[in-house]
Amino acid sequence: MNELPQQIDVLIIGAGAAGLMCAAVAGQRGRSVLVLDHANKVGKKILMSGGGRCNFTNLYTSPENFYSENPHFCKSALARYTQWDFIALVEKHGIPYHEKTLGQLFCDNKSKDIVDLLLAECRAAKAQVRTRCSIESVKPLGNGYRVETSLGPVQCQSLVIATGGLSIPTMGATGFGYDIARQFGLRLVPTRAALVPFTQHKRQLERQQELPGSAIPVTATCGAGSFHEQMLFTHRGLSGPAVLQISSYWREGEPVSFDLAPDLDLAEWLVQQRQEKPEAHLHTVLAGFWSKKLTQHFLSEKGIESRPLKQFSPSELAEIGMALQTWQLVPAGTEGYRTAEVTLGGVDTDAISSRTMECKTQPGLYFIGEVLDVTGWLGGYNFQWAWSSAHAAGEVV
Ligand code: FDA
């Protein structure tokens, strides 16, 4: 194994989406670049993303798709390296892709296509990438940084922290980036698991033990968030895109509201059904668009007894419709960082230049990607943030 170079222009810690992108951009400007990662291979989260097909960006990416204490911070980087720029790169590498839904672009083949793209760009830029290297300490010098590693010391002019968030520790996630931020006196926005399934209390799970695997479209609402997507019942609680999305808005103890028939005015529809099929039972009619199992569950949760529709008054049916469109529950919790796709919070963006990602109080120190307090919705937005923030830093480091 070659020794590490002792002196380098740009040292990037973290060979994930943001780190590799930044290395390629900086290297293409003629900077000497070294990327170090403690994992045994690069881009592990890219490889597992999008169910193995990497949802690498979203056609409709805009700053509104991100949460941060400072919602303006992401604007500059997203505007200067857009989804169209990354799509052009994907096309340059001949990677086949498709839109799945809601502007989400996935590889036709495997996520590995995206890792190969990044590594090819790094090779073309002569950026070196080394894995299985742990970082022992970071010390500021007059003009740059000295980093002690398990493979020896490295001095650099620019140090880029691209170590991501806390989700999926088994994939190599650590709080390293937050430790470096603390070392240099930067504030951290409290972190929380996000894009994560909800868990439910044992008694609730017992009541829905027939349901794991069932999925329906819903509108999930909590606080300022509202998402019309699929909800999936699981053995631990609730998942599916609508639940993952709303988990980013949820706080412990708060109720989440689900419209179980988001494409219909259920009150009006039930009254109409009463006119057309007065003899039909409520559960039979509802089982027309939910399954029988789900219908029974929803009716029993609301304490509604099924009878022929003619035995309900129109106002009773309207009330039932309303109740099923405002189904509320308080999740017990979330599955946490073990399965969360991302980490909310992170390095406070007040301390960072939104144009360059450089720390305002610590020249030559940069933070990019998920380690920052910028978190995207589900749907390719988090990778787009990694590409855009990495590109912004790569142009100046
Ligand atoms: P990333 O986590 O990619 O990279 C950080 C790197 O730093 C890792 O290689 C890690 O080993 C290394 N590292 C950490 N600590 C270190 C230390 N102490 N020393 C050295 N190296 C260290 N997003 C999206 O847009 N579309 C999608 O389809 C998905 N799908 C998805 C599925 C799953 C299961 C997860 C967990 C996440 C997603 N995401 C996603 C989110 C996306 O993967 C994530 O936001 C980006 O990978 C963040 O890129 P970063 O480069 O910031 O961190």
Side-chain angles (χ1 to χ4, degrees):
M1 176 78 62
N2 296 336
E3 301 253 303
L4 291 185
Q6 296 211 339
Q7 191 82 40
I8 200 96
D9 293 337
V10 182
L11 176 62
I12 301 174
I13 304 180
L20 293 174
M21 182 70 169
C22 185
V25 177
Q28 280 158 20
R29 287 176 38 240
R31 302 286 279 162
S32 63
V33 181
L34 172 66
V35 190
L36 298 178
D37 200 297
H38 68 156
N40 58 351
K41 59 180 174 190
V42 303
K44 281 189 171 183
K45 277 197 192 159
I46 303 175
L47 292 172
M48 74 190 299
S49 69
R53 289 215 163 87
C54 187
N55 175 195
F56 55 81
T57 192
N58 194 295
L59 291 176
Y60 308 118
T61 305
S62 81
E64 287 72 49
N65 307 118
F66 296 84
Y67 332 85
S68 170
E69 272 193 2
N70 178 1
H72 303 293
F73 179 81
C74 62
K75 288 181 179 172
S76 169
L78 289 173
R80 285 179 300 124
Y81 189 82
T82 68
Q83 59 272 41
W84 309 111
D85 293 314
F86 194 75
I87 293 166
L89 187 61
V90 167
E91 288 179 353
K92 179 182 127 187
H93 285 259
I95 297 173
Y97 66 92
H98 61 278
E99 179 184 354
K100 195 166 168 192
T101 172
L102 303 170
Q104 301 168 7
L105 299 190
F106 284 76
C107 296
D108 285 356
N109 300 321
K110 287 195 171 134
S111 300
K112 189 169 174 296
D113 285 353
I114 299 295
V115 174
D116 290 346
L117 171 160
L118 293 166
L119 289 176
E121 289 288 312
C122 283
R123 268 194 308 277
K126 299 195 169 52
Q128 302 177 58
V129 182
R130 298 286 291 272
T131 52
R132 298 177 199 266
C133 176
S134 47
I135 311 301
E136 287 156 6
S137 68
V138 170
K139 289 201 181 75
L141 305 171
N143 178 23
Y145 293 86
R146 179 181 167 92
V147 177
E148 300 290 338
T149 83
S150 56
L151 301 178
V154 188
Q155 272 183 220
C156 60
Q157 286 171 11
S158 298
L159 177 63
V160 182
I161 308 298
T163 45
L166 293 170
S167 44
I168 325 261
T170 49
M171 285 290 125
T174 69
F176 178 85
Y178 310 138
D179 295 341
I180 295 293
R182 274 189 214 99
Q183 179 185 336
F184 290 102
L186 307 185
R187 181 182 165 256
L188 293 174
V189 174
T191 54
R192 234 156 29 84
L195 299 184
V196 62
F198 285 141
T199 55
Q200 286 177 287
H201 294 290
K202 193 161 166 263
R203 258 191 305 159
Q204 179 67 34
L205 288 177
E206 281 165 7
R207 291 208 296 273
Q208 61 195 48
Q209 61 186 343
E210 301 292 313
L211 302 186
S214 302
I216 48 165
V218 298
T219 298
T221 306
C222 186
S226 190
F227 295 92
H228 180 172
E229 291 201 50
Q230 293 283 314
M231 172 176 81
L232 171 74
F233 287 85
T234 70
H235 290 285
R236 291 197 184 86
L238 297 171
S239 187
V243 168
L244 300 184
Q245 297 278 33
I246 208 66
S247 71
S248 301
Y249 287 85
W250 181 75
R251 299 288 182 282
E252 276 69 18
E254 282 180 3
V256 181
S257 176
F258 294 95
D259 180 344
L260 300 173
D263 302 312
L264 205 65
D265 181 335
L266 203 52
E268 199 182 291
W269 185 78
L270 282 174
V271 172
Q272 194 188 332
Q273 294 295 304
R274 182 180 181 273
Q275 276 169 5
E276 290 169 14
K277 311 173 191 165
E279 304 296 337
H281 263 255
L282 177 64
H283 71 258
T284 318
V285 170
L286 288 173
F289 67 91
W290 297 319
S291 66
K292 201 172 148 196
K293 277 192 301 198
L294 281 167
T295 302
Q296 271 167 357
H297 176 72
F298 296 145
L299 291 181
S300 91
E301 285 288 293
K302 287 281 169 199
I304 301 165
E305 228 178 276
S306 182
R307 307 193 294 271
L309 292 178
K310 67 179 183 190
Q311 291 182 18
F312 292 95
S313 70
S315 65
E316 279 174 322
L317 286 177
E319 244 175 67
I320 290 170
M322 287 277 288
L324 293 170
Q325 293 202 281
T326 52
W327 192 56
Q328 289 222 335
L329 66 85
V330 180
T334 72
E335 290 189 6
Y337 292 118
R338 191 178 59 80
T339 61
E341 280 200 13
V342 283
T343 304
L344 272 180
V347 177
D348 183 1
T349 58
D350 270 1
I352 309 293
S353 156
S354 62
R355 207 180 58 77
T356 63
M357 305 295 137
E358 187 175 18
C359 178
K360 290 174 188 167
T361 51
Q362 194 60 47
L365 178 64
Y366 297 77
F367 290 86
I368 57 174
E370 200 184 313
V371 72
L372 285 166
D373 171 36
V374 176
T375 308
W377 290 4
L378 185 78
Y381 303 103
N382 283 295
F383 279 134
Q384 187 57 46
W385 172 245
W387 316 136
S388 297
S389 58
H391 198 273
E395 282 188 314
V396 293
V397 283

